[in-house]
Amino acid sequence: FRGWNLAGARLDKLDLTWADFRGASLVGVSFHEACLDGADLSRADLRGADFTEASLRGAVLRGARLEGIKLHKVDLREALI
């Protein structure tokens, strides 16, 4: 998924462990209850993304655009932000 444009996609409840989203456009994407453990979201555009009840343990979000994201009940342990 590196560099892909997935704006507005619904990726709810998917296992995206170790997924590579570096530089991807993920504006408004729904990751509700998804598993993104170890995923690399560096430099991704996450504006307005919904991570409600998602797991981002050990995920990398360095340099990502995070304006307006929803983080209700999200597991961010060991995440690099």
Side-chain angles (χ1 to χ4, degrees):
F1 306 107
R2 185 176 185 179
W4 286 20
N5 182 349
L6 296 170
R10 294 189 56 113
L11 303 177
D12 301 332
K13 299 183 181 182
L14 294 179
D15 183 353
L16 298 165
T17 303
W18 300 109
D20 183 356
F21 287 107
R22 287 178 285 176
S25 176
L26 303 169
V27 176
V29 170
S30 178
F31 290 104
H32 191 257
E33 295 183 23
C35 180
L36 291 134
D37 295 347
D40 192 342
L41 297 148
S42 302
R43 298 178 314 281
D45 189 348
L46 298 166
R47 290 174 295 157
D50 183 358
F51 291 96
T52 301
E53 296 185 40
S55 180
L56 288 151
R57 292 184 74 169
V60 180
L61 294 115
R62 289 188 176 143
R65 295 195 63 182
L66 305 173
E67 299 92 356
I69 63 172
K70 296 176 185 172
L71 295 171
H72 183 68
K73 295 186 180 180
V74 174
D75 185 351
L76 287 167
R77 286 180 278 179
E78 301 174 20
L80 302 174
I81 301 171

